[in-house]
Structures are given as structure tokens and as C-alpha cells.
Amino acid sequence: MTRNTVIGDKRVLAADFLPNRMVHRGQERQEIADALRPVLEGERPRNVLVHGPPGTGKTTMARYVVDRLEEHIDLQYGFCNCWRNSSRFKIYYRLLNEMGSRMIHRTGTPTDKLVDDFESKVRNRPSVVVLDEVDQLEDEKVLYDMTRYNRTGLIMIANQENVFYDLDERIRSSLSSRKNVRFSAYTHEEIVDILRDRRQWGLRDGAVEDELLHRIADTVSGDARVAINALRIAAEKAEKEGLEQIPEEFIDDALPEAEELTETESLDKLNSDQQALYEILRQEETLRPRELYDRYRSKVEKPKVDRTLRNYLSEMEKYGLVESRGQGTGTEYVLTD
DNA sequence: AGTCCACTGGAACTTGAGGAAT
DNA sequence: ATTCCTCAAGTTCCAGTGGACT
């Protein structure tokens, strides 16, 4: 193992690294912490909806606030991404595992059993649940459930503020007392500060000039995730070539790469069949359904039946990855851009 | 207008995993 | 060990919709 030239601590350069202080977002942090504070006194906390565009620190902040709370109190904490786990069963399954449940629950366990276990788990101990990408939730009854647990703080994370508009009246009213916290895109200076912070803890001294951080901030339009990814990609390349400083053109090369990386990270959320469909559409621009199914069948080893593909595609449509145009015989599938 | 065809999506059904009861 | 049960995921079946073509 040779001595690193550029990178000090690689973990710090990951976009989802949880820093021990959050630069900026002081106001937002305060609002979330205030809403959850009653948990410390064993009282009912206020639900929180954190909303804003991608890469604005919503998820990181939620984890950060919970981390700080855990310093004061013995807390049960469950995090669940509702994109990956969209059904009621999967969410409870996930949360129970996150909270270190000793009981093993598998696909055969009735959902009600999971709900019961969860309920008894959070009844007497303060808990916080974070539901990320809550707009992807399939069964909104979960939200109703969560508001019933008196000592459980609920942080919901979404891109849009209006996620609850078309919900059932009962569920909406149970969420009506929530606190909305808006995260807007970072300003140029804020992005630079965030990058400086990562530089300080993640890179060696003198590894990258301020000027280059500004260059990154210029292109990422307020998305810290893309910015950090770009810095990491450039740093890794410099490291590989044994340089002591990141050259300007490495940054320029890394920027489009970082944009793409952030995009494909969302493709990880698709199953392999959906990825195959996505891949086909990417090569073909637009396709009629019949044609799409045919190509899919010749591409994968164990093809699923057409009806299942339709389910997959409508799911992908919900995520905003594909789009179907026209009706009847004129239907075409195309990737959204 | 009538026929054909591609496509959609609801609903019933099958399969497979795995816990619980015996 | 065996049988029974529940659930999610996938499949089968099919009626309905609406272009396209005569």
C-alpha cells in the first residue's frame, strides 16, 4: 500500500457521508430538532415533512438530527426508503430490522404480525422513524399508522411539498399538524463551503485549489450530491496518477461523470428486468409495446410475462423514468429526459 | 359503419418462501 | 417431520378501449 498523495479519508468524499457538523442549514436543523424535542421528555413529538429538490441535504440532515438526539437519550431509530420498500409489509419489515428486532420476519409473516411487533417495540421507548422518498409510498395507510404511535417521531422526506394532496381524508387530517421544513437548492457559496469542508477532512493539504471548488459550484446548480461526487471522482483520478494536486481538467472531466452517476444511482432502485427494459429503451429511443416485449424476451434469461412487464413499466412511469405516449395501437414507450 | 388488431389493466389464480401448529 | 397457513410476486384470463384500415 503506497502513501496517498491526494486523498486523506475516502469515506468523507462519499456523497452520503454523515459529517459531524452540517455547514449551513442551521435554521432547518433547528426546526426539525424542535419538532422532535418532545421525544426527550417522553412526550408526543410533532411530525415533520422535509421537502426540497435533490441534493439539498434532506436525508443527511434527518440522519444528522437523529444522531444528535441519540446523544441525549436512548433512542430507537428506523430509516426506510419508500422507493425500495413501498408496500406496508416491506416498510415494517425494514423498520423492524433497522431497529434491531431479534425476531426474524420473512416473506411468510403476516403484515399484521409485523405491525403488532412494531407497535409493542415503540410503545414504551422513544423512537424516531425516517421515511425517505415518501412520495413513492404505495400504501399510504402506513402514514396513518405512524401517527398513532405516541412516542414516535416521524420525519418524512419528499421532493414536493404537496405529496399529501390526493390522500384519503382521514390520513391527511392525521398529518395536518405536521411541521413542513423546506430545503431550497444551495447557493454557489454554500456549495463551495460544503466542498471546503469535505476537502478539509477528506483530502490532503493543498490537494485542490479554492478556484476549482468554485468551478464545481458553477455547474452543479445547487446540488451538493453532484458536487461532492465530482470532487471525489477528480480526486480518485489524481490519486491514481500519483499527482499531489488535482488539475483543472480533471474537474472538468469529472463534472459530467458525476451528473451521470447521480442519475444511475436511481436506476439501482429498479429490479433486473426493469433495468433490461430501461436499457432497451435507451438504445431504441421509442418502441411500440409489442416490440419492446419481444426484445426484452430475447435479452434476458428468464423473461417475465407481458402482464408483469406492464406492471414494471407503469412503476417506472411513476418514478418518471419512462413515458408512454398515445393510446390503443399507437402506444409508444420512451425514456423521459 | 364495420372489422380487425394492439394495447391496457382488473381480477382471479398459482407459486414459492417460510413461520406456526401439530 | 409434516401439515397448514399467510403473504408478495408473478401469471393467466379476458373484457374493454380506441386507432387503423377497408
Side-chain angles (χ1 to χ4, degrees), chain A residues 168-187:
Chain A
D168 183 273
E169 177 55 37
R170 267 190 351 149
I171 298 173
R172 238 183 330 153
S173 78
S174 68
L175 289 167
S176 58
S177 65
R178 70 174 183 273
K179 169 93 190 149
N180 282 358
V181 183
R182 181 183 164 71
F183 279 53
S184 13
Y186 285 113
T187 64

Side-chain angles (χ1 to χ4, degrees), chain A residues 68-271:
Chain A
R68 296 289 83 80
L69 266 183
E70 278 180 320
E71 290 171 359
H72 297 97
I73 189 174
D74 179 28
L75 196 67
Q76 303 186 98
Y77 165 52
F79 179 93
C80 180
N81 184 306
C82 301
W83 182 321
R84 274 182 197 281
N85 312 284
S86 60
S87 69
R88 191 155 173 254
F89 174 88
K90 280 188 179 170
I91 288 169
Y92 276 101
Y93 180 69
R94 173 85 212 192
L95 289 175
L96 278 165
N97 282 336
E98 283 266 317
M99 291 176 161
S101 169
R102 271 171 286 107
M103 296 160 274
I104 312 274
H105 303 87
R106 275 297 153 86
T107 51
T109 316
T111 302
D112 288 348
K113 171 86 167 69
L114 295 189
V115 176
D116 284 351
D117 288 352
F118 184 84
E119 195 163 0
S120 59
K121 203 165 175 49
V122 299
R123 186 178 301 136
N124 296 315
R125 282 183 62 196
S127 322
V128 174
V129 166
V130 177
L131 296 180
D132 202 356
E133 307 202 52
V134 74
D135 41 337
Q136 300 299 334
L137 207 58
E138 223 157 63
D139 185 352
E140 47 254 15
K141 189 165 184 303
V142 173
L143 298 177
Y144 181 74
D145 294 347
M146 289 295 159
T147 55
R148 290 192 349 241
Y149 309 129
N150 278 330
R151 301 184 63 185
T152 304
L154 175 63
I155 304 179
M156 298 163 285
I157 303 176
N159 289 342
Q160 303 290 329
E161 184 173 11
N162 59 10
V163 270
F164 304 131
Y165 272 13
D166 48 359
L167 287 191
D168 183 273
E169 177 55 37
R170 267 190 351 149
I171 298 173
R172 238 183 330 153
S173 78
S174 68
L175 289 167
S176 58
S177 65
R178 70 174 183 273
K179 169 93 190 149
N180 282 358
V181 183
R182 181 183 164 71
F183 279 53
S184 13
Y186 285 113
T187 64
H188 177 101
E189 279 308 320
E190 286 169 342
I191 291 280
V192 172
D193 282 343
I194 290 169
L195 290 175
R196 280 195 186 118
D197 203 51
R198 300 293 170 115
R199 174 177 66 184
Q200 184 185 346
W201 303 104
L203 294 178
R204 300 189 147 272
D205 287 349
V208 62
E209 300 280 341
D210 251 18
E211 192 199 325
L212 295 186
L213 302 186
H214 281 284
R215 202 182 186 83
I216 295 175
D218 273 339
T219 15
V220 298
S221 52
D223 188 328
R225 181 170 287 270
V226 176
I228 293 165
N229 278 339
L231 182 62
R232 192 194 65 250
I233 291 169
E236 279 170 352
K237 191 170 172 197
E239 180 79 44
K240 208 168 171 183
E241 306 206 354
L243 305 176
E244 302 221 326
Q245 195 176 37
I246 302 176
E248 189 176 326
E249 60 269 26
F250 281 19
I251 295 285
D252 290 340
D253 291 348
L255 279 164
E257 232 178 285
E259 303 251 7
E260 200 172 308
L261 176 71
T262 322
E263 225 169 80
T264 46
E265 271 168 2
S266 73
L267 293 181
D268 285 351
K269 296 165 181 167
L270 302 178
N271 66 34

